[in-house]
Every structure is written in C-alpha cells, then in structure tokens.
Amino acid sequence: MLVNVCGCKLQLIQGDITEQHVDAIVNAANSQLAGGSGVDGAIHAAGGPGIMNDTAARYPEGCPTGSAVASSAGNLSAKFVFHAVGPIWRGGKEGEPALLQTAYRKCLQLAVQHDCKTIAFPAISAGAYGYPLDLAANVAVKTVTDFQKWHKKPPEVRFVLFTEGTYGAFARSLEIQMEVQ
Ligand code: AR6
C-alpha cells in the first residue's frame, strides 16, 4: 500500500526490515541498547557486531524510553540504524501513547538531521513490549503522517511489517487516517 502525504511517500509492506535498501533502518531496541529478540535480534544478526560496538562506544548509558539514537549500519544495506526505544505496555495509563509517539518522532528528526531520503520502521513496541497492535498502528501512522505533512520530509517512509496481521492493522489505520484528512 502506497499513499502520498503532501508530496512524500508513505508505504506499507509486509517483509523483513533487514532486507530493505534504505538510508535508515529503525530498530525496536531496549533502553540498555543491549540487543534482544524480535527485530532487534534480526538487525544485529544481519548487520554484524559493528552495530553493537558502535552503540556501546557512543551511548554507554543507553537511550531513554520514548527516544532514539543513531549508529552505523554494519553489513545492512543502509547508512544508519536508528535505535528507538518504545514503551512497555502497562495498560495504557503510564504515558505509553506519548512515549511511542516521541520514539517515532525522534527517528523522523534523526532522518531529517542526517539527510535520509528513505527510512524503514518496524511496528515499535508491538511485539515483546505488548502494545496492542491496533493502538500501536494508530500512533505509528498518525505520527508519521503528521510529521510528513508538517515538514514535507522524509521523502519516503516505509513501514515494514513482519506478519500479515501487523500489515493488516497498519493498513486499516492508514485507510482510516487518509479518510479523515
Ligand atoms: N522485520 C520487521 N519486523 C520484525 C522483524 C523483522 N525482521 N522481526 C520481528 N518483527 P519486537 P518491541 C516485528 O518484539 O515490542 C527486543 O528483545 C514483530 O513482529 O521486536 O518494541 C528488544 O531488545 C513486531 O511486530 O519489539 C526489546 O527488549 C515488531 O517487529 C524488546 O524486544 C516489534 O516487535 C522490544 O520490544
């Protein structure tokens, strides 16, 4: 699914984010930047140890929840990996929506700052961190479309969704948000 947001592209695809050829690949990391399972494990496995060496040297204190930091991309076909730390879902009353929004927004700001034309996001927090999928999709899609409308950048944002269910949730969310414009 591909839509135009104020002259920028927003695309949803089902696939593996480590196979994307983009300027920046976003990782769903933890605040220690310690690596883990899910997309984090896949990115470090495909990208090689250079990514962990770089993050450990540059961010020894990790990254707070709701933010993101940039590293090199090792063997991945990208210039950068942005390590975004989404919130752990604790019922929705602990500021989770705002933290998820700022995690996405920080990545978009890093993309602009590093002059990235293309950036690929996974569904941050929607796996091990337990954020309900439909709610996570709404925050993700709204944050990206609002940013593209306001800044007219990045020129291409791709959500790379690993499963059919995740893709479906993002597609529904995008359809609804394009209608209410
Ligand atoms: N490409 C794209 N998406 C993927 C891939 C992939 N190769 N692999 C999994 N996903 P998760 P979180 C999807 O758990 O919820 C880690 O241990 C997956 O289907 O990776 O933010 C970290 O170290 C799901 O939709 O991230 C943290 O400790 C989405 O990626 C913690 O998990 C996010 O699931 C972060 O949890």
Side-chain angles (χ1 to χ4, degrees), residues 10 12 17 27 42-43 50 61 66 76 79 85 103 113 124 155 161:
L10 176 57
L12 306 186
I17 204 165
N27 182 18
I43 284 173
E61 299 187 350
L76 297 171
K79 295 178 187 155
V85 184
Q113 204 178 312
I124 300 170
L161 294 327

Side-chain angles (χ1 to χ4, degrees), residues 15-17 28-30 35-40 42 122-129 160 162 166:
D16 181 344
I17 204 165
N30 51 61
S37 58
V39 70
D40 198 0
I124 300 170
S125 285
Y129 280 2
V160 182
F162 204 47
T166 320

Side-chain angles (χ1 to χ4, degrees), residues 3-73:
V3 298
N4 182 311
V5 182
C6 292
C8 301
K9 283 184 186 170
L10 176 57
Q11 192 175 12
L12 306 186
I13 60 170
Q14 193 184 328
D16 181 344
I17 204 165
T18 65
E19 293 171 2
Q20 300 299 307
H21 303 274
V22 285
D23 291 332
I25 289 178
V26 176
N27 182 18
N30 51 61
S31 56
Q32 296 77 32
L33 304 177
S37 58
V39 70
D40 198 0
I43 284 173
H44 284 290
I51 298 176
M52 187 63 84
N53 293 340
D54 195 28
T55 54
R58 290 164 73 171
Y59 313 105
E61 299 187 350
C63 172
T65 301
S67 191
V69 293
S71 78
S72 53

